[in-house]
Amino acid sequence: MDLRQSFEGIRVCDLSQGIAGPHATMLLAQYGAEVVKVEPPEGDWGRLLGPRSEDHCAHSWYYNLGKKSIALDLKTASGREILTKIASQCDIFIESFRPGVISRLGFSYEAVQAIRSDVIYVSVSGFGQMGPYNQRGTVDSLIQGFSGMMVMNRTSEGVPQRQGMVAADVVTGLYVFSALTAALASRQQTGEGGYLDLSLMQSAAAFQGAKIAEFHASGGEPKSFYGPVGYLPTCDGGVSVSCRKEEHYVLLCQVLGRAELTDDTRFKSGEDRVRNEAVLMQVLARLTQPWTTAALLKALQDVGVLVERVQSYGEWLRNEQVLATGAYHWTNAGALGQLPLVSLPGINVPRPDRCHSPKIGQDSVAVCRQFGVDE
């Protein structure tokens, strides 16, 4: 099934900046929608997230693939006039300003609906459009802390730790894309558009929904599902092991030459191993440390224990399974050089015309002509 044309004919007016909104609209573009990125003359601030070459950093290149860019100053009458013409011809209007800003610019949901009655209008913000925190500025790392994600990702010493990527932003983009897909299906059935209020706060919580429920159900002390599970070091790296079944733990101990651990009263049952997880992982780490990663992988996989190498991104790019399945493709990223473009689930090979990412205002003249703006 070729999903690359799924949203063919759908037009998107994208005023979002950063990661969350642009991620959602990049996905729409990859699945066939026409996305017009409307950014200020100085550009989307997401273009500054990391080392930059000309108009792009790696993040802005990736999250704006397949879009057209027009640079508009919405503080001017001409800028607002052009945006009005674009919005009137778009199925989706998405913005990520702080609540209230877009209304002051003259493009609230009511204003856009007046010129496009069936528009699907999306506001993406940190804490949502309502409530006492709606005017708070926030970013991914703050939402990771606010949502409990940093506590659930704490170190073995109990120190809360953020994910080393913009996890809350990225997952928000996925939820926005999911909601828009459902909204388009609803509009097809009813002929009506509507308003969607999505936030980093709610998306980060939804991503952890089961864990939040488990926290409450366990009286605030959720445990691992089973054990041992997690990282074990080797002399040249490390592995991730998962002993979901009793037989897996027995086989692990046998491979490591310590079959007697299965009779240790601290680790005898699954409940014992979960209760004494930290001690058990320390014991196992001392046993795996002398092994090479390759030798330990083979020994454990040969007997059926679930285990995988813990890899860096560089190792992932070179992995034989990754290469055999075409999990990514090299593509020309302009001034950034050749970059790996990870294949989206359901799209093995991206459309050639959706592998570019525009410079600031690169398509301004073409977009103006397309939407009927005079010279």
Side-chain angles (χ1 to χ4, degrees):
M1 180 181 291
D2 188 351
L3 301 179
R4 297 178 298 176
Q5 315 293 332
S6 300
F7 293 131
E8 191 77 27
I10 297 296
R11 281 180 167 176
V12 182
C13 181
D14 178 16
L15 274 74
S16 66
Q17 297 189 48
I19 299 298
H23 183 200
T25 52
M26 179 273 281
L27 292 171
L28 289 169
Q30 295 307 307
Y31 287 94
E34 179 183 1
V35 179
V36 177
K37 181 178 180 65
V38 180
E39 53 188 325
E42 68 274 16
D44 173 357
W45 60 262
R47 294 179 181 272
L48 304 175
L49 296 173
R52 179 174 170 175
S53 294
E54 295 183 355
D55 278 2
H56 278 299
C57 61
H59 278 69
S60 69
W61 168 79
Y62 181 81
Y63 291 115
N64 289 292
L65 286 165
K67 304 178 187 180
K68 300 175 182 177
S69 171
I70 180 171
L72 293 178
D73 183 352
L74 297 182
K75 295 178 181 179
T76 67
S78 60
R80 293 191 295 272
E81 181 183 354
I82 293 171
L83 180 58
T84 298
K85 290 199 173 186
I86 295 173
S88 69
Q89 300 173 56
C90 285
D91 303 275
I92 294 170
F93 186 98
I94 180 169
E95 60 89 15
S96 62
F97 294 102
R98 193 171 298 192
V101 172
I102 194 68
S103 295
R104 291 194 291 273
L105 290 171
F107 293 92
S108 65
Y109 168 59
E110 292 76 16
V112 175
Q113 188 190 38
I115 59 174
R116 175 76 189 218
S117 61
D118 65 346
V119 70
I120 298 171
Y121 188 111
V122 187
S123 291
V124 181
S125 61
F127 288 99
Q129 300 299 303
M130 306 297 291
Y133 291 4
N134 76 327
Q135 290 299 311
R136 283 192 180 182
T138 193
V139 291
D140 180 273
S141 59
L142 302 188
I143 292 296
Q144 286 195 37
F146 181 90
S147 68
M149 189 181 295
M150 287 176 65
V151 172
M152 293 312 300
N153 191 44
R154 60 185 177 270
T155 66
S156 57
E157 291 78 28
V159 179
Q161 180 174 256
R162 74 176 181 88
Q163 297 283 339
M165 60 170 289
V166 284
D169 267 312
V170 171
V171 78
T172 299
L174 287 172
Y175 280 117
V176 173
F177 174 72
S178 174
L180 281 170
T181 301
L184 286 167
S186 176
R187 193 183 72 165
Q188 187 173 22
Q189 294 172 348
T190 65
E192 298 179 356
Y195 179 73
L196 297 172
D197 172 10
L198 285 95
S199 68
L200 272 70
M201 180 194 75
Q202 197 62 47
S203 297
F207 180 63
Q208 302 172 89
K211 205 66 182 174
I212 291 173
E214 181 192 36
F215 175 87
H216 178 76
S218 65
E221 296 183 3
K223 304 292 184 182
S224 296
F225 298 146
Y226 48 82
V229 59
Y231 177 77
L232 292 173
T234 61
C235 65
D236 59 354
V239 300
S240 181
V241 68
S242 179
C243 294
R244 181 173 60 85
K245 297 180 179 179
E246 184 71 24
E247 64 190 78
H248 292 161
Y249 174 62
V250 172
L251 291 167
L252 172 64
C253 293
Q254 290 175 353
V255 167
L256 297 178
R258 291 291 301 276
E260 70 276 9
L261 283 175
T262 58
D263 295 321
D264 190 310
T265 55
R266 296 172 298 174
F267 318 131
K268 194 167 181 59
S269 70
E271 292 77 9
D272 293 331
R273 293 192 289 276
V274 168
R275 185 169 52 254
N276 298 302
E277 178 183 24
V279 175
L280 175 58
M281 294 303 286
Q282 290 172 3
V283 170
L284 294 175
R286 289 193 291 269
L287 298 175
T288 60
Q289 183 69 59
W291 289 70
T292 66
T293 300
L296 184 58
L297 277 175
K298 185 177 188 311
L300 292 177
Q301 289 174 346
D302 282 352
V303 298
V305 175
L306 296 176
V307 62
E308 278 300 339
R309 180 190 302 271
V310 173
Q311 300 186 131
S312 66
Y313 289 146
E315 290 169 319
W316 185 88
L317 289 168
R318 298 189 297 271
N319 182 269
E320 59 184 354
Q321 178 67 16
V322 171
L323 295 173
T325 57
Y328 71 93
H329 306 272
W330 290 102
T331 190
N332 181 7
L336 293 170
Q338 292 288 314
L339 290 180
L341 176 57
V342 176
S343 301
L344 292 174
I347 299 180
N348 294 327
V349 180
R351 285 170 46 171
D353 63 336
R354 300 301 167 98
C355 292
H356 77 285
S357 196
K359 295 181 179 180
I360 300 170
Q362 175 179 306
D363 308 289
S364 293
V365 173
V367 168
C368 284
R369 287 174 176 164
Q370 178 184 358
F371 286 87
V373 179
D374 61 39
E375 292 296 331

